[in-house]
Amino acid sequence: MKIMVAIKRVIDYAVKIRVKPDKSGVVTQNVKMSMNPFCEIALEEALRIRESGLASEVVAVTMGPSQCLDTLRTGLAMGADRGIHVDSTSALHPLHVAKILRNLVQIEKPSLIILGKQAIDDDCNQTGQMVAGLLNWPQGTFASKVSPSSNHPGFKNQAFAPTMWWGFPKDKSNMSQIGKKEYTHGTMKSLIGVVLDKEKEEVTVDREVDDGIETVQLKLPAVITTDLRLNQPRYATLPNIMKAKSKPIKKFTPQELNVEIKSDLEIVEVTEPPKRKAGVMVSSVDELIEKLKNEAKVI
Amino acid sequence: MVNRNCRATLRLVTLINRQGHPHPPLSSSPSGIDACWKQLQRNNVHGEHKIVSFFSPLASSLKTRQWGVNIQSRCYGSASVLVQRNPKFSKLNDEDVRYFEGILGAKNVIQDDEKLITANTDWMRKYKGSSKLLLQPRTTDQVSEILKYCNFRCLAVVPQGGNTGLVGGSVPVFDEVVVSLSAMSKIISFDKVSGILVCEAGCILENIISFLDNEGFIMPLDLGAKGSCQIGGNVSTNAGGLRLLRYGSLHGNVLGIEAVLADGTVLDMLKTLRKDNTGYDLKHLFIGSEGSLGIVTKVSILTPPKLSSVNVAFLACKDYSSCQKLLQEARRKLGEILSAFEFLDSNAMNLVLNHLEGARNPLPTSLHNFYVLIETTGSDESSDKQKLEAFLLGSMENELISDGALAQDINQASSFWLLREGIPEALMRAGAVYKYDLSIPVEKMYNLVEEMRSRLGNDANVVGYGHLGDGNLHLNVSTPQYDDKILSQIEPFVYEWTSKHHGSISAEHGLGLMKANKIFYSKSPETVKVMTSIKKLLDPNHILNPYKVLPCSSIS
């Protein structure tokens, strides 16, 4: 079974964003770019599914100018088997991305598409849903965690020295924290947030929604978008970086895929949110009422 | 708990001690900072005598005098010299407090017990003074008035910044007046073209870093304590930190300081010039003098531009000689982009993973003996990454490193740094810790750690980590509680070993109170004599930070 993961190159999450003086966008010159955090989580999930033996191949797809190859290389260094780069210098909005993905699916024929729920630069949260709509596939969005069982062998693999010294009670709070799962090879299904059932060709997804957790069961092929608490992405280790250099990257253009990049959205203006004003001390209740009435106009 | 090989005077000490105050037994209380602290509080030193060490050759002459009745328990943690309160310092009285209130206003004259406890105790909770007064001046003139008065009245003064020092140099020993620079925290000016920043001494390092970040510059020094330490303290102690490898020490980066001498004279050497060869460059005296020659009130510092491409790699090596060879290779292959080279051993790694939340092992698949963190800073993202990757893959082929991970974004880079910067905090949480900060030639550096391990055996956890690129080892011995038996195994062996290998007993932490009488392990008597005469010249009444830095015998 093949899994396709879409990854996006965005401004690094920890960078302080600055708006361009002409208000046409944000400053991207000389700013550190990296993989969208949700896409990292999506790729990590795909890798875990493959490592549990339920998938044979993970293909990473990225779209954009040639600099996106850096992000694709990161994806390959994390463990993806192949990369696809759709080269385009024009701005790609979610609908374009969704159409390109649909056409790629007809070439690659994956059974599962995993994407991040949204990109941190545009916060659209649309691509996954649009892909599912265009392909007429079921979707499980905002996939989040499943509580792991506590007698899990996966918890033992941190590199602790086997001898305990001082007879101190070892601080186990680290291990029982949700979200600090370390991944081992040959792990059980319950470590994965998304539970795949190969025989029945179904996938069970726990979705984090506003009023709690909703569990859905989707028939494959399906689209999943990942939310923050699904897993903790792995680091790119040197042996994998070395292997990534020889992994194939196929190149496409939107024209080859029969998708017309016609921009029907125009960004009129980008401004910073208004700076928070300092509070005002009032000296009496009457003054407070007067301010609420006349300045804030709430009573 | 007393070493039997002590001198006769020491036996006298223990005799009197046993008659006077029976030492509370070092019970096996649960580990953890609070339990330790409660026990340490019982060993609190009051009165006029403080036994600080048993082994200094200089102390024996002092000990025979003035035994007196008030022998209190020893200073816990690190033992040094018997320190007596110098009787020539006056005691604080109400008139003094009123005078200070007149200069500073009542709000900045603090006698409140809670705030005094914080000011009297150092970060490691090893040293506790008994000062009754905390002053918070807001301008240099106020500092000058305070010192003029204290000099006239012969009141001892301790300048205090962020109080994050590790050798007890920032807290009073007895009842010295604490002058805190925290209220002087303005950034005065910043020149965007040259990158020269002028600010007051009380600015917290992290605040300066965020201010500079907005302007596209960085501070040339960076340390784990940046959230609390102040630039005045950094300058006064010549703090080293993580970026010394790339940007050099503060002696090179500080362009000017404004300091107030003990008699209240304000020395305005606050130039913003890169080059100024007019006369003797006095600011270097104050940089690293730990507040004993003058109080630094303003600093002008040259800041390097912030380069866009920062890459961090976390590597594993199987033995110490590979770490050394890796350093040599890194210097050659990474050359101008190398900005930090730190190492930690497996004990340090385990401590951090066990005691710090949010610490995650990037190389969990197997146990490694040594870990190295390499940071590169450059202007071109793709070429830097290529260089670093080529270097790392080459080192892996040459078997210098057995495994490694490369941070792909800023969050991953911070999590790698957390593993290295979080070691001091993890050590604090693990119980009691004896800290040593030594400069040793790189080839021999780890031999000391291994020798300490064989000396202490199973009694203590010996942890070695540090700035391998600068030849600076942070040797830490972690035990459940402070124990003199263990201390006697460590000191003076550590100092003698370092001295034998022509190293420094204090690479960046300074001498403070902890190593006040140890200077002879690293400096010749003639040098110390000249230092003493400079101290006499600038501070004839010895009111600034007494009992610290220079040996007490030379002062009196």
Side-chain angles (χ1 to χ4, degrees), chain B residues 93-116:
Chain B
N93 60 33
D94 284 333
E95 208 184 287
D96 300 324
V97 178
R98 272 196 301 262
Y99 184 83
F100 290 131
E101 280 178 0
I103 313 174
L104 303 172
K107 208 170 56 148
N108 297 321
V109 173
I110 296 169
Q111 292 182 289
D112 168 48
D113 280 331
E114 262 190 56
K115 295 207 184 118
L116 277 176

PDB file of all heavy atoms in Angstrom, chain B residues 93-116:
ATOM      1  N   ASN B  93      23.748  51.216  61.192  1.00  0.00           N
ATOM      2  CA  ASN B  93      22.825  51.730  62.209  1.00  0.00           C
ATOM      3  C   ASN B  93      21.718  52.544  61.541  1.00  0.00           C
ATOM      4  O   ASN B  93      21.716  52.767  60.334  1.00  0.00           O
ATOM      5  CB  ASN B  93      23.586  52.538  63.272  1.00  0.00           C
ATOM      6  CG  ASN B  93      24.305  53.718  62.648  1.00  0.00           C
ATOM      7  OD1 ASN B  93      23.839  54.311  61.673  1.00  0.00           O
ATOM      8  ND2 ASN B  93      25.456  54.065  63.192  1.00  0.00           N
ATOM      9  N   ASP B  94      20.777  53.006  62.357  1.00  0.00           N
ATOM     10  CA  ASP B  94      19.587  53.672  61.802  1.00  0.00           C
ATOM     11  C   ASP B  94      19.938  54.932  61.053  1.00  0.00           C
ATOM     12  O   ASP B  94      19.286  55.303  60.080  1.00  0.00           O
ATOM     13  CB  ASP B  94      18.601  54.001  62.934  1.00  0.00           C
ATOM     14  CG  ASP B  94      17.876  52.752  63.381  1.00  0.00           C
ATOM     15  OD1 ASP B  94      17.734  51.843  62.535  1.00  0.00           O
ATOM     16  OD2 ASP B  94      17.468  52.679  64.548  1.00  0.00           O
ATOM     17  N   GLU B  95      20.958  55.620  61.546  1.00  0.00           N
ATOM     18  CA  GLU B  95      21.354  56.867  60.886  1.00  0.00           C
ATOM     19  C   GLU B  95      21.750  56.591  59.445  1.00  0.00           C
ATOM     20  O   GLU B  95      21.406  57.344  58.528  1.00  0.00           O
ATOM     21  CB  GLU B  95      22.541  57.438  61.653  1.00  0.00           C
ATOM     22  CG  GLU B  95      22.677  58.926  61.584  1.00  0.00           C
ATOM     23  CD  GLU B  95      23.954  59.323  62.299  1.00  0.00           C
ATOM     24  OE1 GLU B  95      23.966  59.260  63.541  1.00  0.00           O
ATOM     25  OE2 GLU B  95      24.924  59.662  61.591  1.00  0.00           O
ATOM     26  N   ASP B  96      22.480  55.478  59.261  1.00  0.00           N
ATOM     27  CA  ASP B  96      22.891  55.112  57.905  1.00  0.00           C
ATOM     28  C   ASP B  96      21.664  54.882  57.038  1.00  0.00           C
ATOM     29  O   ASP B  96      21.587  55.368  55.904  1.00  0.00           O
ATOM     30  CB  ASP B  96      23.722  53.826  57.919  1.00  0.00           C
ATOM     31  CG  ASP B  96      24.986  53.958  58.745  1.00  0.00           C
ATOM     32  OD1 ASP B  96      25.562  55.063  58.722  1.00  0.00           O
ATOM     33  OD2 ASP B  96      25.373  52.976  59.393  1.00  0.00           O
ATOM     34  N   VAL B  97      20.691  54.142  57.579  1.00  0.00           N
ATOM     35  CA  VAL B  97      19.489  53.829  56.795  1.00  0.00           C
ATOM     36  C   VAL B  97      18.772  55.117  56.415  1.00  0.00           C
ATOM     37  O   VAL B  97      18.313  55.284  55.282  1.00  0.00           O
ATOM     38  CB  VAL B  97      18.554  52.896  57.586  1.00  0.00           C
ATOM     39  CG1 VAL B  97      17.300  52.611  56.800  1.00  0.00           C
ATOM     40  CG2 VAL B  97      19.268  51.605  57.922  1.00  0.00           C
ATOM     41  N   ARG B  98      18.711  56.036  57.351  1.00  0.00           N
ATOM     42  CA  ARG B  98      18.022  57.291  57.055  1.00  0.00           C
ATOM     43  C   ARG B  98      18.771  58.062  55.969  1.00  0.00           C
ATOM     44  O   ARG B  98      18.169  58.686  55.094  1.00  0.00           O
ATOM     45  CB  ARG B  98      17.904  58.139  58.324  1.00  0.00           C
ATOM     46  CG  ARG B  98      16.660  57.821  59.125  1.00  0.00           C
ATOM     47  CD  ARG B  98      16.393  58.917  60.122  1.00  0.00           C
ATOM     48  NE  ARG B  98      17.551  59.055  61.030  1.00  0.00           N
ATOM     49  CZ  ARG B  98      17.613  58.512  62.227  1.00  0.00           C
ATOM     50  NH1 ARG B  98      16.611  57.822  62.691  1.00  0.00           N
ATOM     51  NH2 ARG B  98      18.692  58.670  62.988  1.00  0.00           N
ATOM     52  N   TYR B  99      20.100  58.014  56.045  1.00  0.00           N
ATOM     53  CA  TYR B  99      20.871  58.724  55.029  1.00  0.00           C
ATOM     54  C   TYR B  99      20.602  58.132  53.651  1.00  0.00           C
ATOM     55  O   TYR B  99      20.407  58.864  52.669  1.00  0.00           O
ATOM     56  CB  TYR B  99      22.369  58.628  55.366  1.00  0.00           C
ATOM     57  CG  TYR B  99      23.234  59.405  54.423  1.00  0.00           C
ATOM     58  CD1 TYR B  99      23.438  60.777  54.576  1.00  0.00           C
ATOM     59  CD2 TYR B  99      23.849  58.784  53.331  1.00  0.00           C
ATOM     60  CE1 TYR B  99      24.215  61.491  53.696  1.00  0.00           C
ATOM     61  CE2 TYR B  99      24.631  59.494  52.451  1.00  0.00           C
ATOM     62  CZ  TYR B  99      24.804  60.844  52.636  1.00  0.00           C
ATOM     63  OH  TYR B  99      25.571  61.552  51.747  1.00  0.00           O
ATOM     64  N   PHE B 100      20.585  56.806  53.563  1.00  0.00           N
ATOM     65  CA  PHE B 100      20.320  56.175  52.273  1.00  0.00           C
ATOM     66  C   PHE B 100      18.918  56.509  51.786  1.00  0.00           C
ATOM     67  O   PHE B 100      18.687  56.717  50.603  1.00  0.00           O
ATOM     68  CB  PHE B 100      20.486  54.653  52.360  1.00  0.00           C
ATOM     69  CG  PHE B 100      21.895  54.216  52.538  1.00  0.00           C
ATOM     70  CD1 PHE B 100      22.249  53.299  53.513  1.00  0.00           C
ATOM     71  CD2 PHE B 100      22.906  54.735  51.725  1.00  0.00           C
ATOM     72  CE1 PHE B 100      23.559  52.904  53.678  1.00  0.00           C
ATOM     73  CE2 PHE B 100      24.212  54.349  51.892  1.00  0.00           C
ATOM     74  CZ  PHE B 100      24.554  53.432  52.880  1.00  0.00           C
ATOM     75  N   GLU B 101      17.978  56.553  52.719  1.00  0.00           N
ATOM     76  CA  GLU B 101      16.611  56.909  52.317  1.00  0.00           C
ATOM     77  C   GLU B 101      16.582  58.308  51.751  1.00  0.00           C
ATOM     78  O   GLU B 101      15.834  58.621  50.830  1.00  0.00           O
ATOM     79  CB  GLU B 101      15.655  56.793  53.503  1.00  0.00           C
ATOM     80  CG  GLU B 101      15.242  55.365  53.770  1.00  0.00           C
ATOM     81  CD  GLU B 101      14.336  55.226  54.978  1.00  0.00           C
ATOM     82  OE1 GLU B 101      14.021  56.259  55.610  1.00  0.00           O
ATOM     83  OE2 GLU B 101      13.963  54.099  55.286  1.00  0.00           O
ATOM     84  N   GLY B 102      17.441  59.171  52.331  1.00  0.00           N
ATOM     85  CA  GLY B 102      17.515  60.525  51.806  1.00  0.00           C
ATOM     86  C   GLY B 102      18.027  60.554  50.376  1.00  0.00           C
ATOM     87  O   GLY B 102      17.549  61.323  49.550  1.00  0.00           O
ATOM     88  N   ILE B 103      19.009  59.721  50.056  1.00  0.00           N
ATOM     89  CA  ILE B 103      19.545  59.740  48.685  1.00  0.00           C
ATOM     90  C   ILE B 103      18.596  59.048  47.721  1.00  0.00           C
ATOM     91  O   ILE B 103      18.364  59.519  46.606  1.00  0.00           O
ATOM     92  CB  ILE B 103      20.882  58.969  48.584  1.00  0.00           C
ATOM     93  CG1 ILE B 103      21.847  59.347  49.694  1.00  0.00           C
ATOM     94  CG2 ILE B 103      21.521  59.195  47.247  1.00  0.00           C
ATOM     95  CD1 ILE B 103      23.080  58.480  49.659  1.00  0.00           C
ATOM     96  N   LEU B 104      18.087  57.873  48.114  1.00  0.00           N
ATOM     97  CA  LEU B 104      17.385  57.036  47.142  1.00  0.00           C
ATOM     98  C   LEU B 104      15.867  57.129  47.238  1.00  0.00           C
ATOM     99  O   LEU B 104      15.190  56.698  46.329  1.00  0.00           O
ATOM    100  CB  LEU B 104      17.765  55.565  47.344  1.00  0.00           C
ATOM    101  CG  LEU B 104      19.233  55.230  47.268  1.00  0.00           C
ATOM    102  CD1 LEU B 104      19.447  53.784  47.673  1.00  0.00           C
ATOM    103  CD2 LEU B 104      19.752  55.425  45.868  1.00  0.00           C
ATOM    104  N   GLY B 105      15.385  57.645  48.350  1.00  0.00           N
ATOM    105  CA  GLY B 105      13.937  57.545  48.546  1.00  0.00           C
ATOM    106  C   GLY B 105      13.642  56.249  49.270  1.00  0.00           C
ATOM    107  O   GLY B 105      14.321  55.249  49.076  1.00  0.00           O
ATOM    108  N   ALA B 106      12.599  56.287  50.109  1.00  0.00           N
ATOM    109  CA  ALA B 106      12.351  55.132  50.973  1.00  0.00           C
ATOM    110  C   ALA B 106      12.040  53.860  50.178  1.00  0.00           C
ATOM    111  O   ALA B 106      12.315  52.749  50.626  1.00  0.00           O
ATOM    112  CB  ALA B 106      11.200  55.444  51.918  1.00  0.00           C
ATOM    113  N   LYS B 107      11.486  54.027  48.965  1.00  0.00           N
ATOM    114  CA  LYS B 107      11.087  52.841  48.204  1.00  0.00           C
ATOM    115  C   LYS B 107      12.291  51.983  47.803  1.00  0.00           C
ATOM    116  O   LYS B 107      12.170  50.773  47.651  1.00  0.00           O
ATOM    117  CB  LYS B 107      10.355  53.304  46.935  1.00  0.00           C
ATOM    118  CG  LYS B 107       9.346  52.301  46.437  1.00  0.00           C
ATOM    119  CD  LYS B 107       8.474  52.873  45.335  1.00  0.00           C
ATOM    120  CE  LYS B 107       9.273  53.389  44.184  1.00  0.00           C
ATOM    121  NZ  LYS B 107       8.597  53.250  42.885  1.00  0.00           N
ATOM    122  N   ASN B 108      13.441  52.621  47.615  1.00  0.00           N
ATOM    123  CA  ASN B 108      14.592  51.874  47.112  1.00  0.00           C
ATOM    124  C   ASN B 108      15.525  51.423  48.208  1.00  0.00           C
ATOM    125  O   ASN B 108      16.613  50.947  47.918  1.00  0.00           O
ATOM    126  CB  ASN B 108      15.363  52.743  46.102  1.00  0.00           C
ATOM    127  CG  ASN B 108      14.495  53.048  44.904  1.00  0.00           C
ATOM    128  OD1 ASN B 108      13.759  52.202  44.453  1.00  0.00           O
ATOM    129  ND2 ASN B 108      14.571  54.279  44.421  1.00  0.00           N
ATOM    130  N   VAL B 109      15.113  51.626  49.470  1.00  0.00           N
ATOM    131  CA  VAL B 109      15.918  51.154  50.588  1.00  0.00           C
ATOM    132  C   VAL B 109      15.125  50.023  51.212  1.00  0.00           C
ATOM    133  O   VAL B 109      14.055  50.248  51.762  1.00  0.00           O
ATOM    134  CB  VAL B 109      16.160  52.279  51.607  1.00  0.00           C
ATOM    135  CG1 VAL B 109      16.853  51.723  52.833  1.00  0.00           C
ATOM    136  CG2 VAL B 109      16.971  53.381  50.982  1.00  0.00           C
ATOM    137  N   ILE B 110      15.627  48.804  51.062  1.00  0.00           N
ATOM    138  CA  ILE B 110      14.796  47.648  51.396  1.00  0.00           C
ATOM    139  C   ILE B 110      15.337  46.940  52.618  1.00  0.00           C
ATOM    140  O   ILE B 110      16.512  46.549  52.649  1.00  0.00           O
ATOM    141  CB  ILE B 110      14.754  46.692  50.196  1.00  0.00           C
ATOM    142  CG1 ILE B 110      14.069  47.414  49.032  1.00  0.00           C
ATOM    143  CG2 ILE B 110      13.990  45.423  50.534  1.00  0.00           C
ATOM    144  CD1 ILE B 110      14.177  46.717  47.733  1.00  0.00           C
ATOM    145  N   GLN B 111      14.460  46.796  53.617  1.00  0.00           N
ATOM    146  CA  GLN B 111      14.853  46.023  54.792  1.00  0.00           C
ATOM    147  C   GLN B 111      13.868  44.887  55.015  1.00  0.00           C
ATOM    148  O   GLN B 111      13.879  44.256  56.062  1.00  0.00           O
ATOM    149  CB  GLN B 111      14.879  46.936  56.017  1.00  0.00           C
ATOM    150  CG  GLN B 111      15.999  47.949  55.915  1.00  0.00           C
ATOM    151  CD  GLN B 111      16.054  48.815  57.147  1.00  0.00           C
ATOM    152  OE1 GLN B 111      15.193  49.654  57.363  1.00  0.00           O
ATOM    153  NE2 GLN B 111      17.051  48.597  57.954  1.00  0.00           N
ATOM    154  N   ASP B 112      13.039  44.665  54.007  1.00  0.00           N
ATOM    155  CA  ASP B 112      12.002  43.649  54.116  1.00  0.00           C
ATOM    156  C   ASP B 112      12.631  42.251  54.109  1.00  0.00           C
ATOM    157  O   ASP B 112      13.441  41.940  53.248  1.00  0.00           O
ATOM    158  CB  ASP B 112      11.068  43.840  52.909  1.00  0.00           C
ATOM    159  CG  ASP B 112      10.132  42.684  52.735  1.00  0.00           C
ATOM    160  OD1 ASP B 112       9.529  42.287  53.735  1.00  0.00           O
ATOM    161  OD2 ASP B 112      10.025  42.189  51.596  1.00  0.00           O
ATOM    162  N   ASP B 113      12.241  41.409  55.054  1.00  0.00           N
ATOM    163  CA  ASP B 113      12.934  40.128  55.233  1.00  0.00           C
ATOM    164  C   ASP B 113      12.923  39.237  54.012  1.00  0.00           C
ATOM    165  O   ASP B 113      13.924  38.650  53.650  1.00  0.00           O
ATOM    166  CB  ASP B 113      12.294  39.350  56.399  1.00  0.00           C
ATOM    167  CG  ASP B 113      12.804  39.871  57.721  1.00  0.00           C
ATOM    168  OD1 ASP B 113      13.947  40.364  57.744  1.00  0.00           O
ATOM    169  OD2 ASP B 113      12.060  39.800  58.704  1.00  0.00           O
ATOM    170  N   GLU B 114      11.770  39.151  53.357  1.00  0.00           N
ATOM    171  CA  GLU B 114      11.694  38.225  52.212  1.00  0.00           C
ATOM    172  C   GLU B 114      12.638  38.609  51.103  1.00  0.00           C
ATOM    173  O   GLU B 114      13.337  37.791  50.546  1.00  0.00           O
ATOM    174  CB  GLU B 114      10.274  38.215  51.672  1.00  0.00           C
ATOM    175  CG  GLU B 114       9.471  37.051  52.178  1.00  0.00           C
ATOM    176  CD  GLU B 114       8.159  36.927  51.432  1.00  0.00           C
ATOM    177  OE1 GLU B 114       8.222  36.835  50.197  1.00  0.00           O
ATOM    178  OE2 GLU B 114       7.129  36.951  52.109  1.00  0.00           O
ATOM    179  N   LYS B 115      12.642  39.926  50.791  1.00  0.00           N
ATOM    180  CA  LYS B 115      13.527  40.353  49.698  1.00  0.00           C
ATOM    181  C   LYS B 115      14.975  40.200  50.121  1.00  0.00           C
ATOM    182  O   LYS B 115      15.841  39.904  49.313  1.00  0.00           O
ATOM    183  CB  LYS B 115      13.240  41.812  49.342  1.00  0.00           C
ATOM    184  CG  LYS B 115      11.870  42.019  48.782  1.00  0.00           C
ATOM    185  CD  LYS B 115      11.809  43.233  47.862  1.00  0.00           C
ATOM    186  CE  LYS B 115      10.380  43.450  47.400  1.00  0.00           C
ATOM    187  NZ  LYS B 115       9.822  44.717  47.819  1.00  0.00           N
ATOM    188  N   LEU B 116      15.228  40.376  51.416  1.00  0.00           N
ATOM    189  CA  LEU B 116      16.609  40.247  51.883  1.00  0.00           C
ATOM    190  C   LEU B 116      17.075  38.810  51.764  1.00  0.00           C
ATOM    191  O   LEU B 116      18.230  38.548  51.446  1.00  0.00           O
ATOM    192  CB  LEU B 116      16.723  40.708  53.337  1.00  0.00           C
ATOM    193  CG  LEU B 116      16.872  42.215  53.529  1.00  0.00           C
ATOM    194  CD1 LEU B 116      16.880  42.545  55.005  1.00  0.00           C
ATOM    195  CD2 LEU B 116      18.162  42.704  52.886  1.00  0.00           C
TER     196      LEU B 116
END
